[in-house]
Amino acid sequence: MESGASSGNERHPEVMEDSWFSQFRNSPNPWMARYVYGLMFLITNLLAWAVRDYGRGALTEMERLQGCKGVRDCLGAEGVLRVSLGCFTFYFIMFLSTAGTSKLHRPRELWHSGWWSAKIILWIALMMLPFLVPTAFIQLYGEIAHFGAGVFLLIQLISIISFIKWLNDCCHSGKYEDRCHIHVMLLATTAYVICIMGIILMYIWYVPEPSCLLNIFFITWTLVLLQLMTSVSLHPKVDEGFLTPGLMGLYVVFLCWCAIRSEPPEDRCNQKAESATKADWLTIISFIVALLAMVIATFSTGIDSKCFQFRKDDTQAEDDVPYGYGFFHFVFATGAMYFSMLLIGWNTHHSIRKWTIDVGWTSTWVRIVNEWLAACVYLWMLVAPIIWKARQTGESA
């Protein structure tokens, strides 16, 4: 990505000499544009959180929101969905207006990289408009957002696995193999040590008594998935080594930990979550880190469009766009649905506590299914080339 950034900067030498504010006002720059879009996305996330935790008093004054049914926190969840709808609409409009852009200095490319005054006005208007929409429509959007958030998780999953495979292929290429051999072994060993330590700590923290069968199942199955991914990767016909299953092991262990952490604080097996009910400094820091991590994940996934191209083309002309604009905005649009699900616990009638994110049984099972899907996709990416090659050999014979 750094090489791409440098080449993109070379295409805008006059822009790099100006100040950041001058670039923003006068000189369209696709590399600067992605950071501006990321900042707008972060501001929207903070707005959704503020509406959820502190905007309930203001929302109850709005006559159109009085039809909200359910628990007392429903207005907070509905406010999050309204902010999410505005954010989704903005990025979906950007997706429709920039999809298929391939060359620099064309009208759609200039719209993506410039026209900031118009886009900021559009963004503000679209953030206000959903608060005038009837509650029934917001509830419908909440149901659709479940699907959109799932699409985002799938895109993020494929992007992470593609990066892991790219890193492994790069380290085992002829150019870097001798130089990276020790680094690969050290990285793989560290990954496996962290995986095992994480599993042991989860048993200690989240299985305080033998009756916590669900947590025992989650943690044990994660260990089984780690062993299965390692065995398949080391199979002679696959021969991918220890690095990719080690890094994937880190990912599935992290997802398992997130899933158990998402269990409701009332559950006796999740004693560590009791502290999440109090707005102490550790809970606040954890919330801020989780929010920033989600924004960074959306940003990094949005610029990684090459792993979704069916035809790989390493050649890039001087006037080609540096990344897929349409894909970038599509990821942010689905990310808008995803952050709404995190803030309401994937349930529009979920009881919401201040300074919490992604808490509830629905959140737990979403994380667990995501973990299992990650292992399945990774295993399929390992065995698919072998199956395809065997099928082609059989047809030729």
Side-chain angles (χ1 to χ4, degrees):
M1 191 59 66
E2 292 179 357
S3 61
S6 61
S7 63
N9 294 338
E10 291 172 1
R11 297 178 193 173
H12 302 270
E14 72 285 352
V15 171
M16 299 305 295
E17 294 175 359
D18 295 333
S19 65
W20 190 92
F21 184 73
S22 297
Q23 295 178 38
F24 181 78
R25 286 288 302 274
N26 305 317
S27 305
N29 184 343
W31 291 107
M32 186 205 69
R34 58 181 187 168
Y35 293 104
V36 179
Y37 288 119
L39 178 61
M40 295 168 68
F41 189 74
L42 174 61
I43 294 173
T44 306
N45 277 257
L46 294 174
L47 177 61
W49 157 73
V51 167
R52 188 198 72 172
D53 284 1
Y54 299 101
R56 193 172 297 113
L59 290 177
T60 52
E61 299 300 324
M62 298 184 65
E63 194 174 294
R64 289 182 177 271
L65 301 183
Q66 295 300 321
C68 184
K69 306 242 182 327
V71 298
R72 61 184 178 86
D73 292 317
C74 185
L75 279 173
E78 188 171 303
V80 170
L81 291 175
R82 291 176 185 273
V83 174
S84 171
L85 176 59
C87 183
F88 167 79
T89 305
F90 172 77
Y91 283 106
F92 194 71
I93 290 174
M94 293 302 303
F95 161 71
L96 293 177
S97 59
T98 60
T101 305
S102 58
K103 299 297 182 181
L104 294 171
H105 309 302
R106 302 291 173 84
R108 287 190 297 173
E109 193 277 333
L110 296 175
W111 165 246
H112 167 82
S113 305
W115 291 85
W116 290 110
S117 298
K119 285 188 292 191
I120 290 176
I121 293 174
L122 175 64
W123 173 60
I124 294 174
L126 291 175
M127 295 304 298
M128 297 172 60
L129 186 61
F131 286 91
L132 304 177
V133 174
T135 296
F137 184 83
I138 297 300
Q139 293 297 327
L140 175 62
Y141 170 76
E143 298 302 322
I144 299 174
H146 285 82
F147 173 77
V151 173
F152 174 83
L153 286 174
L154 182 61
I155 293 174
Q156 185 185 58
L157 170 62
I158 296 175
S159 178
I160 291 174
I161 296 177
S162 298
F163 171 76
I164 291 175
K165 286 186 65 65
W166 170 84
L167 181 63
N168 185 66
D169 293 341
C170 183
C171 292
H172 287 87
S173 63
K175 184 178 180 181
Y176 301 104
E177 187 171 7
D178 294 336
R179 190 190 315 173
C180 294
H181 181 70
I182 297 178
H183 299 83
V184 168
M185 292 303 299
L186 182 61
L187 182 59
T189 303
T190 303
Y192 275 100
V193 170
I194 295 175
C195 288
I196 299 301
M197 288 298 297
I199 290 173
I200 293 174
L201 289 176
M202 283 192 290
Y203 274 121
I204 296 173
W205 290 341
Y206 302 115
V207 189
E209 51 188 66
S211 60
C212 298
L213 297 179
L214 187 60
N215 285 356
I216 293 175
F217 169 70
F218 287 160
I219 301 170
T220 305
W221 188 246
T222 300
L223 182 61
V224 172
L225 290 177
L226 176 62
Q227 176 63 43
L228 180 61
M229 291 187 297
T230 303
S231 301
V232 173
S233 179
L234 295 179
H235 192 279
K237 291 186 177 180
V238 178
D239 194 24
E240 286 287 332
F242 284 99
L243 182 59
T244 56
L247 296 178
M248 277 301 301
L250 285 177
Y251 185 54
V252 298
V253 169
F254 172 75
L255 289 177
C256 180
W257 175 75
C258 289
I260 298 178
R261 286 269 301 178
S262 296
E263 292 176 357
E266 297 81 10
D267 187 74
R268 67 183 187 280
C269 298
N270 193 4
Q271 297 176 349
K272 279 191 157 295
E274 294 178 359
S275 61
T277 60
K278 304 175 183 179
D280 57 6
W281 65 271
L282 184 60
T283 302
I284 294 174
I285 291 176
S286 300
F287 174 84
I288 294 173
V289 170
L291 193 65
L292 290 176
M294 197 275 295
V295 174
I296 293 172
T298 306
F299 177 83
S300 60
T301 303
I303 60 177
D304 187 21
S305 59
K306 290 187 177 180
C307 65
F308 295 89
Q309 294 177 352
F310 294 100
R311 296 181 61 184
K312 305 294 183 181
D313 186 9
D314 295 330
T315 61
Q316 188 173 16
E318 191 70 19
D319 60 344
D320 286 346
V321 294
Y323 54 92
Y325 296 166
F327 179 80
F328 177 84
H329 292 295
F330 179 77
V331 171
F332 272 81
T334 56
M337 294 181 168
Y338 178 63
F339 81 68
S340 69
M341 293 296 103
L342 292 186
L343 289 175
I344 68 175
W346 295 81
N347 190 341
T348 55
H349 300 293
H350 178 67
S351 180
I352 303 169
R353 290 185 174 87
K354 288 184 178 181
W355 298 105
T356 58
I357 186 169
D358 203 22
V359 175
W361 283 115
T362 307
S363 299
T364 296
W365 281 106
V366 167
R367 293 289 188 183
I368 288 297
V369 171
N370 191 25
E371 175 196 347
W372 297 346
L373 182 62
C376 291
V377 171
Y378 171 73
L379 291 173
W380 172 249
M381 292 180 72
L382 291 180
V383 302
I386 300 174
I387 297 175
W388 178 254
K389 185 177 180 181
R391 185 173 296 179
Q392 284 185 324
T393 302
E395 290 177 355
S396 61

